[in-house]
Amino acid sequence: MRLVLRYIRPQWKLATLIVVLTAVNAVASLLIPTYAADLIDEAAAGGGFSAMATSCLLMAVASLVASGTAIWSGYAVAKLSARVARDMRDDLYAKSLELSAYDFAQFGLASMTTRTMSDINVIQVALSDFNFMMLPVPFMVGTSLVLSFRISARIGWLLTAAMAVVIVLGVVILTAASPLYRRLQKLLDRIGAVLLENLTGVRVVRAFGREADEEARMDRTFADYATTSIRANRMFANLDGLSYLAINLFIALMLFVSGHYIALGEFQIGGLVALSEYAVMCLFFLMMAQMMIAMLPRALECARRVDEVLACTPSIADPDDPVDMAGAAPLADGEVLRFDNVGFRFPDASEDALSAVSFSCSVGKTTAVIGGTGSGKSTVAMLALRFHDATTGHVLLDGVDVKAMRQADLHRHVAYIQQRAWLFSGTVGENLRHRSDAAGLTELRRALDVSQSAPFVGDIASDPSVLARPVALGGSNFSGGQRQRLSIARALVGPSQLVVFDDSFSALDFATDAALRRALKEEMGDKAVLIVAQRVNTIRHADHIVVLSDGRVAGQGTHDELMDHCDVYREIVASQTRE
Ligand SMILES: Nc1ncnc2c1ncn2[C@@H]1O[C@H](COP(=O)(O)OP(=O)(O)OP(=O)(O)O)[C@@H](O)[C@H]1O
């Protein structure tokens, strides 16, 4: 609730307008039966034309005001709820960019998608329904009670009692339904996760003939959701039925009692018409509020889930007093990146992924990290970009601890090509300019040439329109190798001091791999290069090679030096030569 209020606050003018319009609408709607009652009583008493005409005119004005305010508040409510949802989505997305890889994994991709899309949608619909179904209630109830008591205090008390019954019923059912709705949202996450997993791995499912098993798993997930929904809806069906019963009992009682008072001359027949209208309108809005209450537990749960992400303090944050990296440059000896006795353990792991790792990368030099599967190579790349924080030791860029600078500054100085190439939907040009919007054709062309992408993208110097070539989500309209080459080109555009390749050559054939490394050597004269790789051929000619084994440095040096003195390296070379 507090979350929604926080997002309504910037829209306070719109929110105030909605409250005023709703109040005016309620009063105007209830004045219609009031003037109708006057008209009936005047007619029954054989009143003059002018008094009856005045009542008719007042009824017409009240009708116009009621319909005008209803239309106006409809527009205002739509605007308010859409703006609140927009701002929440913006903040949720911004937060997901702030979160570290570990923080993000705590929520999971499926849940983050559900929270950003479906949960905020539920909040938007609930906010809009709240304004239509709940907000008028206090104005309707207050005005109709005042008007009822004006006609007959006894009927006024009867109406108050009927409303109290309907409200108590609503509160009881709301309390009982809340846990069910919490469970429903969790099940929705589960459906999202299972669907995402199955749709992403649909070919694996087919190739392994697991269609029936996966269908059964999906069925179970959908069935769980359906059963819980039915239980929740059953509760609200009971609420509806009981409320109708209370309302109809009240109207029957009111007619019975009113007949008696009319006979006693306490009020006229017009008063009875007005009282019935107040009761019907008022209880109708209470019923609407109950329908809204049916949605409330779910909306509150969605708001809680959105707030949970927004309130999450990123485990990796910028320092309060960051070092200004605007004029930062490599150290006098050319050093750009240094791992100083770095150790790292994943928060939920029982062993260190890296222990006492020390090495450096310098301008004009290629440093490589090699090791078997799970030896900690990608973790080195992650720490260089501060996607994780070293548990012990220091990672330094230009002699400054990466924890002491803004992450944006770090990422401006370091270009990164991840293991699994990912392109954004759009065009080739938009993808290439991801790090630098202002990059010119010459720079793009150089990046395409170095990354060996020109042969399949085309020559942008003679035909710049190839930059408009569409890229599908994730780059799925390119082959794995082409995607890797384009993501390398993207990282080469724009200024950087260090380029980190995290096993980024694995999908390339040997000839392309070799051509790319040759081109890189020529182009990277003013930059430091860190290559994380499994293939010896990719790093054989590196200026410095760090060999990792179970997260520890098993040896460092050039290829020849390591062949002389590092058993682990010799073993890696031998295993790949045998292949
Ligand atoms: N999110 C995680 N939580 C816990 N442990 C992890 C996590 N990610 C990786 N690890 C563990 O950390 C170790 C190093 O992983 P890393 O991804 O750096 O290895 P790698 O050398 O890059 O492997 P590969 O060549 O297969 O990609 C492995 O033992 C791995 O199981």
Side-chain angles (χ1 to χ4, degrees), residues 397-412:
L397 182 88
D398 296 340
V400 180
D401 194 315
V402 292
K403 292 180 190 170
M405 61 184 78
R406 276 191 209 90
Q407 292 169 80
D409 285 342
L410 171 66
H411 299 154
R412 227 186 343 270

Side-chain angles (χ1 to χ4, degrees), residues 267-326:
F267 58 86
Q268 312 274 298
I269 190 82
L272 177 62
V273 172
L275 282 171
S276 312
E277 274 298 306
Y278 299 153
V280 168
M281 283 175 75
C282 191
L283 293 169
F284 168 76
F285 268 94
L286 275 178
M287 292 276 299
M288 296 259 283
Q290 282 183 343
M291 283 203 271
M292 169 70 220
I293 285 174
M295 279 176 239
L296 211 55
R298 184 171 190 186
L300 289 176
E301 176 57 13
C302 290
R304 191 196 62 73
R305 285 156 49 93
V306 171
D307 201 27
E308 189 180 24
V309 180
L310 292 176
C312 175
T313 311
S315 54
I316 294 179
D318 285 344
D320 292 335
D321 188 15
V323 174
D324 182 9
M325 297 297 285

Side-chain angles (χ1 to χ4, degrees), residues 193-212 214-215 217-218:
V194 177
L195 259 179
L196 194 69
E197 195 180 12
N198 271 279
L199 293 179
T200 317
V202 67
R203 290 198 191 93
V204 181
V205 173
R206 278 205 207 133
F208 282 75
R210 303 284 301 178
E211 289 97 328
E214 289 305 321
E215 261 177 42
R217 191 155 75 107
M218 291 299 307

Side-chain angles (χ1 to χ4, degrees), residues 416-423 432 447-448 450-453 456 474-475 478-492 501-509 512-513 516 532 535 538:
Y416 169 63
I417 302 106
Q418 69 193 96
Q419 197 169 15
R420 257 202 341 211
W422 175 267
L423 300 175
L432 289 178
L448 287 172
V450 173
S451 65
Q452 312 299 305
S453 306
F456 64 90
F478 288 92
S479 76
Q482 289 172 339
R483 266 202 300 276
Q484 265 196 344
R485 281 184 268 175
L486 275 176
S487 59
I488 291 171
R490 176 175 62 192
L492 297 180
F501 295 88
D502 181 2
D503 220 353
S504 321
F505 305 123
S506 55
L508 306 183
D509 58 72
T512 310
D513 182 349
L516 198 150
V532 164
R535 284 206 312 234
T538 305

Side-chain angles (χ1 to χ4, degrees), residues 346 348-349 353 372-379 419 503 534:
F346 284 98
D348 48 1
T373 298
S375 58
K377 304 182 297 293
S378 291
T379 309
Q419 197 169 15
D503 220 353
Q534 264 187 1

